[in-house]
Amino acid sequence: MLLGIKAWGYIYFLQVEEGNIPPVPEVTPPPIPEDLKTAIKSGKVRAPTHIISTISDDRGEEPCYAGVPMSTIIERGYGVGDVISLLWFKRSLPRYCTQFIEICIMLCADHGPCVSGAHNSIVTARAGKDLVSSLVSGLLTIGPRFGGAIDDAARYFKDAYDRGLTPYEFVEGMKKKGIRVPGIGHRIKSRDNRDKRVQLLQKYAHTHFPSVKYMEYAVQVETYTLSKANNLVMNVDGAIGSLFLDLLSGSGMFSKQEIDEIVEIGYLNGLFVLARSIGLIGHTFDQKRLK
């Protein structure tokens, strides 16, 4: 017959009293840990840091971008380019730099409904999907054949120029590797039908930039590639890629290590992603209006 806990306890007590078995030593139970929220509130512990962010801060009276209060941004008439310089580069770039960023955004905002990104966003919108889904479907096509060559153009032009390669050595070296020169070539534009966007960017840089050494090198490369085929002109990817190198190096606000890191991380493709989002959203709204 099964005995209850109290019965077993009584039997154990009798056995210990009669000396038949040794007593079991008392064990002090461990203390129950304090609740984390209570411990944090009392200042005894702090929660571990899950992420670190260095570009913005909202712990004060107003949000700050790279240490610049929101009120200062508005009072000084900062534009989108200035906000990008603070949040991306963590510093206030000269006005000619931030204006160049804004020009790039305006020139790359859209390029008609036939490019892959716009086409995808249009089809997705016509399928009844929401704005975010339509936008993302277009953004996912950005890559080597649609807008994603800006970073590669900057990387290759920078490497070739810094190593002192002639346009011939650069282009033929790329050919031996089986790699197309990023930023060179267009399906429609040619020697006699230049991309107006490229011309506008070059004109602005010649007027405002202290140095355009990388752009001039890219033009020399274009001159050589045009001797091969009439459509191997510099495209907007090559123009932005080379000119951004001039912006970074000519502004005097970036070290060589910082410039290398910016090019490697993919800042320049980020500029195209930001710009083209404007057009993709527009195409989505356009299809919704057309029902």
Side-chain angles (χ1 to χ4, degrees):
M1 186 175 182
L2 295 175
L3 297 175
I5 294 176
K6 289 185 177 180
W8 278 113
Y10 181 69
I11 293 173
Y12 165 74
F13 175 77
L14 291 177
Q15 294 294 319
V16 171
E17 284 289 313
E18 294 175 2
N20 295 328
I21 59 174
V24 176
E26 291 290 336
V27 177
T28 303
I32 298 175
E34 189 174 9
D35 181 71
L36 179 60
K37 290 184 179 179
T38 304
I40 292 174
K41 190 174 181 179
S42 64
K44 294 179 181 178
V45 298
R46 69 180 183 88
T49 300
H50 297 292
I51 60 171
I52 296 175
S53 178
T54 62
I55 64 171
S56 59
D57 192 348
D58 63 352
R59 292 173 296 178
E61 294 183 1
E62 58 181 313
C64 294
Y65 292 166
V68 179
M70 197 67 65
S71 57
T72 302
I73 292 173
I74 300 302
E75 290 166 0
R76 294 183 181 178
Y78 283 8
V80 173
D82 297 286
V83 172
I84 291 173
S85 75
L86 292 172
L87 291 178
W88 290 17
F89 301 102
K90 297 171 59 176
R91 67 203 72 186
S92 292
L93 295 175
R95 181 56 189 154
Y96 76 87
C97 294
T98 59
Q99 190 171 2
F100 176 77
I101 292 174
E102 292 175 2
I103 290 172
C104 289
I105 291 174
M106 290 188 287
L107 294 180
C108 295
D110 195 52
H111 198 216
C114 298
V115 293
S116 58
H119 181 270
N120 267 25
S121 289
I122 288 170
V123 170
T124 306
R126 290 169 66 90
K129 297 291 286 184
D130 59 280
L131 171 62
V132 174
S133 300
S134 302
L135 171 61
V136 170
S137 68
L139 291 177
L140 290 175
T141 65
I142 293 177
R145 297 184 183 180
F146 172 54
I150 302 178
D151 278 321
D152 281 340
R155 291 185 186 116
Y156 282 109
F157 282 140
K158 184 177 185 302
D159 177 70
Y161 178 87
D162 291 350
R163 288 196 292 141
L165 298 181
T166 65
Y168 168 82
E169 292 171 331
F170 172 48
V171 175
E172 296 303 323
M174 294 286 282
K175 184 178 179 180
K176 288 180 180 179
K177 296 176 183 177
I179 303 174
R180 293 182 178 181
V181 179
I184 296 291
H186 202 284
R187 289 182 179 273
I188 301 173
K189 301 301 179 180
S190 64
R191 183 201 309 272
D192 304 316
N193 179 28
R194 300 298 182 103
D195 191 331
K196 188 65 177 180
R197 297 174 300 173
V198 173
Q199 293 177 327
L200 290 170
L201 290 169
Q202 291 175 330
K203 180 180 179 181
Y204 180 86
H206 275 301
T207 305
H208 297 91
F209 282 24
S211 170
V212 288
K213 60 182 183 181
Y214 287 106
M215 187 195 73
E216 288 177 347
Y217 181 74
V219 170
Q220 292 173 15
V221 171
E222 177 193 49
T223 301
Y224 178 75
T225 56
L226 281 173
S227 68
K228 301 286 187 179
N230 202 37
N231 69 327
L232 292 181
V233 294
M234 187 190 309
N235 54 43
V236 71
D237 292 345
I240 294 177
S242 59
L243 285 172
F244 233 98
L245 292 174
D246 288 322
L247 182 152
L248 296 172
S249 62
S251 67
M253 300 187 70
F254 299 91
S255 66
K256 182 182 181 303
Q257 182 179 357
E258 287 176 324
I259 295 174
D260 291 340
E261 186 177 47
I262 287 170
V263 173
E264 182 60 32
I265 287 175
Y267 274 57
L268 309 188
N269 277 357
L271 193 66
F272 184 84
V273 170
L274 174 63
R276 193 49 62 97
S277 293
I278 300 172
L280 299 181
I281 291 172
H283 282 296
T284 300
F285 289 154
D286 186 44
Q287 294 303 313
K288 297 293 186 184
R289 282 195 304 268
L290 295 172
K291 302 188 187 308

PDB file of all heavy atoms in Angstrom, residues 182-211:
ATOM      1  N   PRO A 182      32.994  47.750 -66.858  1.00  0.00           N
ATOM      2  CA  PRO A 182      31.773  48.347 -66.307  1.00  0.00           C
ATOM      3  C   PRO A 182      31.743  49.845 -66.590  1.00  0.00           C
ATOM      4  O   PRO A 182      32.757  50.527 -66.517  1.00  0.00           O
ATOM      5  CB  PRO A 182      31.893  48.079 -64.797  1.00  0.00           C
ATOM      6  CG  PRO A 182      32.902  46.980 -64.669  1.00  0.00           C
ATOM      7  CD  PRO A 182      33.846  47.174 -65.809  1.00  0.00           C
ATOM      8  N   GLY A 183      30.558  50.354 -66.916  1.00  0.00           N
ATOM      9  CA  GLY A 183      30.421  51.775 -67.183  1.00  0.00           C
ATOM     10  C   GLY A 183      30.656  52.149 -68.627  1.00  0.00           C
ATOM     11  O   GLY A 183      30.549  53.321 -68.992  1.00  0.00           O
ATOM     12  N   ILE A 184      30.977  51.163 -69.457  1.00  0.00           N
ATOM     13  CA  ILE A 184      31.207  51.403 -70.890  1.00  0.00           C
ATOM     14  C   ILE A 184      30.229  50.544 -71.688  1.00  0.00           C
ATOM     15  O   ILE A 184      30.086  49.353 -71.435  1.00  0.00           O
ATOM     16  CB  ILE A 184      32.654  51.056 -71.298  1.00  0.00           C
ATOM     17  CG1 ILE A 184      33.649  51.963 -70.596  1.00  0.00           C
ATOM     18  CG2 ILE A 184      32.813  51.140 -72.811  1.00  0.00           C
ATOM     19  CD1 ILE A 184      33.622  53.418 -71.034  1.00  0.00           C
ATOM     20  N   GLY A 185      29.565  51.172 -72.653  1.00  0.00           N
ATOM     21  CA  GLY A 185      28.651  50.430 -73.528  1.00  0.00           C
ATOM     22  C   GLY A 185      27.198  50.800 -73.292  1.00  0.00           C
ATOM     23  O   GLY A 185      26.776  51.048 -72.153  1.00  0.00           O
ATOM     24  N   HIS A 186      26.425  50.871 -74.391  1.00  0.00           N
ATOM     25  CA  HIS A 186      25.010  51.200 -74.292  1.00  0.00           C
ATOM     26  C   HIS A 186      24.266  50.551 -75.450  1.00  0.00           C
ATOM     27  O   HIS A 186      24.797  50.436 -76.560  1.00  0.00           O
ATOM     28  CB  HIS A 186      24.812  52.722 -74.320  1.00  0.00           C
ATOM     29  CG  HIS A 186      23.522  53.177 -73.728  1.00  0.00           C
ATOM     30  ND1 HIS A 186      22.314  53.069 -74.377  1.00  0.00           N
ATOM     31  CD2 HIS A 186      23.248  53.759 -72.522  1.00  0.00           C
ATOM     32  CE1 HIS A 186      21.345  53.547 -73.614  1.00  0.00           C
ATOM     33  NE2 HIS A 186      21.891  53.982 -72.485  1.00  0.00           N
ATOM     34  N   ARG A 187      23.028  50.131 -75.203  1.00  0.00           N
ATOM     35  CA  ARG A 187      22.253  49.470 -76.243  1.00  0.00           C
ATOM     36  C   ARG A 187      21.785  50.437 -77.328  1.00  0.00           C
ATOM     37  O   ARG A 187      21.626  50.057 -78.487  1.00  0.00           O
ATOM     38  CB  ARG A 187      21.021  48.784 -75.619  1.00  0.00           C
ATOM     39  CG  ARG A 187      21.350  47.563 -74.777  1.00  0.00           C
ATOM     40  CD  ARG A 187      20.072  46.925 -74.242  1.00  0.00           C
ATOM     41  NE  ARG A 187      20.366  45.735 -73.463  1.00  0.00           N
ATOM     42  CZ  ARG A 187      20.501  44.517 -73.971  1.00  0.00           C
ATOM     43  NH1 ARG A 187      20.389  44.337 -75.283  1.00  0.00           N
ATOM     44  NH2 ARG A 187      20.756  43.483 -73.194  1.00  0.00           N
ATOM     45  N   ILE A 188      21.557  51.693 -76.936  1.00  0.00           N
ATOM     46  CA  ILE A 188      21.005  52.678 -77.874  1.00  0.00           C
ATOM     47  C   ILE A 188      21.993  53.792 -78.188  1.00  0.00           C
ATOM     48  O   ILE A 188      22.172  54.176 -79.352  1.00  0.00           O
ATOM     49  CB  ILE A 188      19.706  53.289 -77.305  1.00  0.00           C
ATOM     50  CG1 ILE A 188      18.672  52.188 -77.053  1.00  0.00           C
ATOM     51  CG2 ILE A 188      19.146  54.346 -78.242  1.00  0.00           C
ATOM     52  CD1 ILE A 188      17.433  52.665 -76.338  1.00  0.00           C
ATOM     53  N   LYS A 189      22.652  54.313 -77.173  1.00  0.00           N
ATOM     54  CA  LYS A 189      23.543  55.460 -77.347  1.00  0.00           C
ATOM     55  C   LYS A 189      24.820  55.051 -78.077  1.00  0.00           C
ATOM     56  O   LYS A 189      25.250  53.895 -78.025  1.00  0.00           O
ATOM     57  CB  LYS A 189      23.883  56.079 -75.988  1.00  0.00           C
ATOM     58  CG  LYS A 189      22.664  56.552 -75.207  1.00  0.00           C
ATOM     59  CD  LYS A 189      21.875  57.604 -75.978  1.00  0.00           C
ATOM     60  CE  LYS A 189      20.651  58.059 -75.228  1.00  0.00           C
ATOM     61  NZ  LYS A 189      19.880  59.078 -75.977  1.00  0.00           N
ATOM     62  N   SER A 190      25.424  56.039 -78.758  1.00  0.00           N
ATOM     63  CA  SER A 190      26.627  55.756 -79.543  1.00  0.00           C
ATOM     64  C   SER A 190      27.492  57.005 -79.600  1.00  0.00           C
ATOM     65  O   SER A 190      27.203  58.020 -78.968  1.00  0.00           O
ATOM     66  CB  SER A 190      26.243  55.310 -80.959  1.00  0.00           C
ATOM     67  OG  SER A 190      25.576  56.363 -81.636  1.00  0.00           O
ATOM     68  N   ARG A 191      28.547  56.927 -80.395  1.00  0.00           N
ATOM     69  CA  ARG A 191      29.458  58.069 -80.547  1.00  0.00           C
ATOM     70  C   ARG A 191      28.704  59.326 -81.005  1.00  0.00           C
ATOM     71  O   ARG A 191      28.985  60.436 -80.565  1.00  0.00           O
ATOM     72  CB  ARG A 191      30.536  57.713 -81.574  1.00  0.00           C
ATOM     73  CG  ARG A 191      31.598  58.794 -81.768  1.00  0.00           C
ATOM     74  CD  ARG A 191      32.294  58.601 -83.117  1.00  0.00           C
ATOM     75  NE  ARG A 191      32.772  57.244 -83.286  1.00  0.00           N
ATOM     76  CZ  ARG A 191      33.969  56.810 -82.893  1.00  0.00           C
ATOM     77  NH1 ARG A 191      34.801  57.649 -82.300  1.00  0.00           N
ATOM     78  NH2 ARG A 191      34.320  55.569 -83.114  1.00  0.00           N
ATOM     79  N   ASP A 192      27.734  59.150 -81.891  1.00  0.00           N
ATOM     80  CA  ASP A 192      27.003  60.281 -82.454  1.00  0.00           C
ATOM     81  C   ASP A 192      25.676  60.545 -81.746  1.00  0.00           C
ATOM     82  O   ASP A 192      24.925  61.441 -82.148  1.00  0.00           O
ATOM     83  CB  ASP A 192      26.733  60.019 -83.950  1.00  0.00           C
ATOM     84  CG  ASP A 192      28.024  59.758 -84.713  1.00  0.00           C
ATOM     85  OD1 ASP A 192      29.001  60.494 -84.485  1.00  0.00           O
ATOM     86  OD2 ASP A 192      28.049  58.804 -85.523  1.00  0.00           O
ATOM     87  N   ASN A 193      25.373  59.758 -80.729  1.00  0.00           N
ATOM     88  CA  ASN A 193      24.114  59.915 -79.993  1.00  0.00           C
ATOM     89  C   ASN A 193      24.402  59.694 -78.513  1.00  0.00           C
ATOM     90  O   ASN A 193      24.023  58.692 -77.922  1.00  0.00           O
ATOM     91  CB  ASN A 193      23.076  58.912 -80.509  1.00  0.00           C
ATOM     92  CG  ASN A 193      21.749  59.018 -79.766  1.00  0.00           C
ATOM     93  OD1 ASN A 193      21.388  60.090 -79.268  1.00  0.00           O
ATOM     94  ND2 ASN A 193      21.034  57.900 -79.672  1.00  0.00           N
ATOM     95  N   ARG A 194      25.071  60.668 -77.903  1.00  0.00           N
ATOM     96  CA  ARG A 194      25.541  60.518 -76.526  1.00  0.00           C
ATOM     97  C   ARG A 194      24.389  60.601 -75.521  1.00  0.00           C
ATOM     98  O   ARG A 194      23.348  61.216 -75.773  1.00  0.00           O
ATOM     99  CB  ARG A 194      26.579  61.597 -76.189  1.00  0.00           C
ATOM    100  CG  ARG A 194      27.821  61.577 -77.082  1.00  0.00           C
ATOM    101  CD  ARG A 194      28.572  60.263 -76.949  1.00  0.00           C
ATOM    102  NE  ARG A 194      29.778  60.235 -77.752  1.00  0.00           N
ATOM    103  CZ  ARG A 194      31.010  60.400 -77.248  1.00  0.00           C
ATOM    104  NH1 ARG A 194      31.178  60.620 -75.964  1.00  0.00           N
ATOM    105  NH2 ARG A 194      32.058  60.351 -78.049  1.00  0.00           N
ATOM    106  N   ASP A 195      24.623  59.982 -74.366  1.00  0.00           N
ATOM    107  CA  ASP A 195      23.661  60.025 -73.269  1.00  0.00           C
ATOM    108  C   ASP A 195      23.705  61.415 -72.635  1.00  0.00           C
ATOM    109  O   ASP A 195      24.725  61.847 -72.117  1.00  0.00           O
ATOM    110  CB  ASP A 195      24.016  58.956 -72.232  1.00  0.00           C
ATOM    111  CG  ASP A 195      22.917  58.754 -71.185  1.00  0.00           C
ATOM    112  OD1 ASP A 195      22.184  59.725 -70.900  1.00  0.00           O
ATOM    113  OD2 ASP A 195      22.802  57.638 -70.655  1.00  0.00           O
ATOM    114  N   LYS A 196      22.578  62.117 -72.700  1.00  0.00           N
ATOM    115  CA  LYS A 196      22.518  63.485 -72.180  1.00  0.00           C
ATOM    116  C   LYS A 196      22.828  63.520 -70.686  1.00  0.00           C
ATOM    117  O   LYS A 196      23.433  64.488 -70.182  1.00  0.00           O
ATOM    118  CB  LYS A 196      21.120  64.060 -72.421  1.00  0.00           C
ATOM    119  CG  LYS A 196      20.992  65.551 -72.102  1.00  0.00           C
ATOM    120  CD  LYS A 196      21.849  66.396 -73.053  1.00  0.00           C
ATOM    121  CE  LYS A 196      21.668  67.875 -72.800  1.00  0.00           C
ATOM    122  NZ  LYS A 196      22.499  68.699 -73.707  1.00  0.00           N
ATOM    123  N   ARG A 197      22.475  62.468 -69.951  1.00  0.00           N
ATOM    124  CA  ARG A 197      22.742  62.419 -68.512  1.00  0.00           C
ATOM    125  C   ARG A 197      24.238  62.457 -68.239  1.00  0.00           C
ATOM    126  O   ARG A 197      24.708  63.132 -67.313  1.00  0.00           O
ATOM    127  CB  ARG A 197      22.112  61.165 -67.893  1.00  0.00           C
ATOM    128  CG  ARG A 197      20.597  61.108 -67.999  1.00  0.00           C
ATOM    129  CD  ARG A 197      20.056  59.791 -67.501  1.00  0.00           C
ATOM    130  NE  ARG A 197      20.579  58.666 -68.273  1.00  0.00           N
ATOM    131  CZ  ARG A 197      20.370  57.382 -67.956  1.00  0.00           C
ATOM    132  NH1 ARG A 197      19.663  57.066 -66.890  1.00  0.00           N
ATOM    133  NH2 ARG A 197      20.857  56.414 -68.710  1.00  0.00           N
ATOM    134  N   VAL A 198      24.996  61.741 -69.047  1.00  0.00           N
ATOM    135  CA  VAL A 198      26.447  61.719 -68.896  1.00  0.00           C
ATOM    136  C   VAL A 198      27.022  63.100 -69.150  1.00  0.00           C
ATOM    137  O   VAL A 198      27.886  63.591 -68.406  1.00  0.00           O
ATOM    138  CB  VAL A 198      27.078  60.681 -69.857  1.00  0.00           C
ATOM    139  CG1 VAL A 198      28.600  60.781 -69.819  1.00  0.00           C
ATOM    140  CG2 VAL A 198      26.622  59.271 -69.496  1.00  0.00           C
ATOM    141  N   GLN A 199      26.531  63.750 -70.185  1.00  0.00           N
ATOM    142  CA  GLN A 199      27.022  65.084 -70.523  1.00  0.00           C
ATOM    143  C   GLN A 199      26.713  66.098 -69.415  1.00  0.00           C
ATOM    144  O   GLN A 199      27.546  66.950 -69.085  1.00  0.00           O
ATOM    145  CB  GLN A 199      26.398  65.543 -71.841  1.00  0.00           C
ATOM    146  CG  GLN A 199      26.850  64.719 -73.043  1.00  0.00           C
ATOM    147  CD  GLN A 199      26.154  65.139 -74.320  1.00  0.00           C
ATOM    148  OE1 GLN A 199      24.995  65.560 -74.317  1.00  0.00           O
ATOM    149  NE2 GLN A 199      26.863  65.041 -75.446  1.00  0.00           N
ATOM    150  N   LEU A 200      25.530  66.010 -68.816  1.00  0.00           N
ATOM    151  CA  LEU A 200      25.156  66.928 -67.740  1.00  0.00           C
ATOM    152  C   LEU A 200      26.041  66.727 -66.513  1.00  0.00           C
ATOM    153  O   LEU A 200      26.474  67.695 -65.870  1.00  0.00           O
ATOM    154  CB  LEU A 200      23.683  66.727 -67.372  1.00  0.00           C
ATOM    155  CG  LEU A 200      22.662  67.198 -68.414  1.00  0.00           C
ATOM    156  CD1 LEU A 200      21.259  66.711 -68.038  1.00  0.00           C
ATOM    157  CD2 LEU A 200      22.684  68.713 -68.537  1.00  0.00           C
ATOM    158  N   LEU A 201      26.319  65.471 -66.176  1.00  0.00           N
ATOM    159  CA  LEU A 201      27.178  65.182 -65.023  1.00  0.00           C
ATOM    160  C   LEU A 201      28.600  65.682 -65.265  1.00  0.00           C
ATOM    161  O   LEU A 201      29.221  66.268 -64.372  1.00  0.00           O
ATOM    162  CB  LEU A 201      27.180  63.673 -64.752  1.00  0.00           C
ATOM    163  CG  LEU A 201      25.882  63.082 -64.195  1.00  0.00           C
ATOM    164  CD1 LEU A 201      25.935  61.558 -64.231  1.00  0.00           C
ATOM    165  CD2 LEU A 201      25.643  63.557 -62.764  1.00  0.00           C
ATOM    166  N   GLN A 202      29.100  65.444 -66.452  1.00  0.00           N
ATOM    167  CA  GLN A 202      30.457  65.884 -66.776  1.00  0.00           C
ATOM    168  C   GLN A 202      30.566  67.405 -66.758  1.00  0.00           C
ATOM    169  O   GLN A 202      31.553  67.962 -66.268  1.00  0.00           O
ATOM    170  CB  GLN A 202      30.873  65.323 -68.137  1.00  0.00           C
ATOM    171  CG  GLN A 202      31.082  63.815 -68.134  1.00  0.00           C
ATOM    172  CD  GLN A 202      31.377  63.279 -69.525  1.00  0.00           C
ATOM    173  OE1 GLN A 202      30.921  63.832 -70.527  1.00  0.00           O
ATOM    174  NE2 GLN A 202      32.136  62.194 -69.591  1.00  0.00           N
ATOM    175  N   LYS A 203      29.547  68.076 -67.283  1.00  0.00           N
ATOM    176  CA  LYS A 203      29.557  69.536 -67.300  1.00  0.00           C
ATOM    177  C   LYS A 203      29.557  70.094 -65.877  1.00  0.00           C
ATOM    178  O   LYS A 203      30.300  71.034 -65.564  1.00  0.00           O
ATOM    179  CB  LYS A 203      28.345  70.057 -68.072  1.00  0.00           C
ATOM    180  CG  LYS A 203      28.274  71.572 -68.156  1.00  0.00           C
ATOM    181  CD  LYS A 203      27.048  72.023 -68.945  1.00  0.00           C
ATOM    182  CE  LYS A 203      26.967  73.550 -68.994  1.00  0.00           C
ATOM    183  NZ  LYS A 203      25.767  74.011 -69.751  1.00  0.00           N
ATOM    184  N   TYR A 204      28.746  69.522 -65.016  1.00  0.00           N
ATOM    185  CA  TYR A 204      28.696  69.981 -63.623  1.00  0.00           C
ATOM    186  C   TYR A 204      30.040  69.776 -62.943  1.00  0.00           C
ATOM    187  O   TYR A 204      30.541  70.653 -62.231  1.00  0.00           O
ATOM    188  CB  TYR A 204      27.609  69.233 -62.848  1.00  0.00           C
ATOM    189  CG  TYR A 204      27.506  69.668 -61.405  1.00  0.00           C
ATOM    190  CD1 TYR A 204      26.726  70.758 -61.040  1.00  0.00           C
ATOM    191  CD2 TYR A 204      28.217  68.998 -60.402  1.00  0.00           C
ATOM    192  CE1 TYR A 204      26.652  71.178 -59.719  1.00  0.00           C
ATOM    193  CE2 TYR A 204      28.142  69.411 -59.075  1.00  0.00           C
ATOM    194  CZ  TYR A 204      27.359  70.504 -58.746  1.00  0.00           C
ATOM    195  OH  TYR A 204      27.294  70.921 -57.437  1.00  0.00           O
ATOM    196  N   ALA A 205      30.649  68.614 -63.153  1.00  0.00           N
ATOM    197  CA  ALA A 205      31.931  68.306 -62.508  1.00  0.00           C
ATOM    198  C   ALA A 205      33.029  69.251 -62.997  1.00  0.00           C
ATOM    199  O   ALA A 205      33.841  69.735 -62.191  1.00  0.00           O
ATOM    200  CB  ALA A 205      32.319  66.859 -62.777  1.00  0.00           C
ATOM    201  N   HIS A 206      33.070  69.509 -64.280  1.00  0.00           N
ATOM    202  CA  HIS A 206      34.087  70.434 -64.822  1.00  0.00           C
ATOM    203  C   HIS A 206      33.939  71.838 -64.223  1.00  0.00           C
ATOM    204  O   HIS A 206      34.932  72.541 -64.020  1.00  0.00           O
ATOM    205  CB  HIS A 206      33.969  70.517 -66.349  1.00  0.00           C
ATOM    206  CG  HIS A 206      34.708  69.440 -67.075  1.00  0.00           C
ATOM    207  ND1 HIS A 206      36.079  69.246 -66.955  1.00  0.00           N
ATOM    208  CD2 HIS A 206      34.275  68.476 -67.941  1.00  0.00           C
ATOM    209  CE1 HIS A 206      36.451  68.235 -67.701  1.00  0.00           C
ATOM    210  NE2 HIS A 206      35.384  67.748 -68.317  1.00  0.00           N
ATOM    211  N   THR A 207      32.712  72.199 -63.897  1.00  0.00           N
ATOM    212  CA  THR A 207      32.454  73.535 -63.375  1.00  0.00           C
ATOM    213  C   THR A 207      32.726  73.648 -61.875  1.00  0.00           C
ATOM    214  O   THR A 207      33.230  74.682 -61.411  1.00  0.00           O
ATOM    215  CB  THR A 207      30.989  73.938 -63.649  1.00  0.00           C
ATOM    216  OG1 THR A 207      30.725  73.826 -65.050  1.00  0.00           O
ATOM    217  CG2 THR A 207      30.720  75.370 -63.204  1.00  0.00           C
ATOM    218  N   HIS A 208      32.444  72.586 -61.123  1.00  0.00           N
ATOM    219  CA  HIS A 208      32.462  72.696 -59.667  1.00  0.00           C
ATOM    220  C   HIS A 208      33.521  71.849 -58.960  1.00  0.00           C
ATOM    221  O   HIS A 208      33.923  72.186 -57.848  1.00  0.00           O
ATOM    222  CB  HIS A 208      31.083  72.317 -59.105  1.00  0.00           C
ATOM    223  CG  HIS A 208      29.975  73.221 -59.546  1.00  0.00           C
ATOM    224  ND1 HIS A 208      29.214  72.986 -60.675  1.00  0.00           N
ATOM    225  CD2 HIS A 208      29.502  74.385 -59.020  1.00  0.00           C
ATOM    226  CE1 HIS A 208      28.311  73.939 -60.813  1.00  0.00           C
ATOM    227  NE2 HIS A 208      28.465  74.803 -59.824  1.00  0.00           N
ATOM    228  N   PHE A 209      33.948  70.762 -59.544  1.00  0.00           N
ATOM    229  CA  PHE A 209      34.895  69.877 -58.856  1.00  0.00           C
ATOM    230  C   PHE A 209      36.319  70.437 -58.927  1.00  0.00           C
ATOM    231  O   PHE A 209      36.727  70.934 -59.986  1.00  0.00           O
ATOM    232  CB  PHE A 209      34.880  68.481 -59.483  1.00  0.00           C
ATOM    233  CG  PHE A 209      33.719  67.627 -59.068  1.00  0.00           C
ATOM    234  CD1 PHE A 209      32.536  68.184 -58.613  1.00  0.00           C
ATOM    235  CD2 PHE A 209      33.794  66.239 -59.148  1.00  0.00           C
ATOM    236  CE1 PHE A 209      31.459  67.399 -58.238  1.00  0.00           C
ATOM    237  CE2 PHE A 209      32.731  65.438 -58.772  1.00  0.00           C
ATOM    238  CZ  PHE A 209      31.554  66.014 -58.322  1.00  0.00           C
ATOM    239  N   PRO A 210      37.073  70.335 -57.842  1.00  0.00           N
ATOM    240  CA  PRO A 210      38.470  70.791 -57.885  1.00  0.00           C
ATOM    241  C   PRO A 210      39.353  69.883 -58.736  1.00  0.00           C
ATOM    242  O   PRO A 210      40.398  70.305 -59.222  1.00  0.00           O
ATOM    243  CB  PRO A 210      38.893  70.767 -56.406  1.00  0.00           C
ATOM    244  CG  PRO A 210      37.971  69.792 -55.756  1.00  0.00           C
ATOM    245  CD  PRO A 210      36.675  69.910 -56.485  1.00  0.00           C
ATOM    246  N   SER A 211      38.937  68.634 -58.906  1.00  0.00           N
ATOM    247  CA  SER A 211      39.726  67.689 -59.700  1.00  0.00           C
ATOM    248  C   SER A 211      38.789  66.686 -60.359  1.00  0.00           C
ATOM    249  O   SER A 211      37.805  66.246 -59.753  1.00  0.00           O
ATOM    250  CB  SER A 211      40.736  66.944 -58.813  1.00  0.00           C
ATOM    251  OG  SER A 211      41.340  65.876 -59.519  1.00  0.00           O
TER     252      SER A 211
END
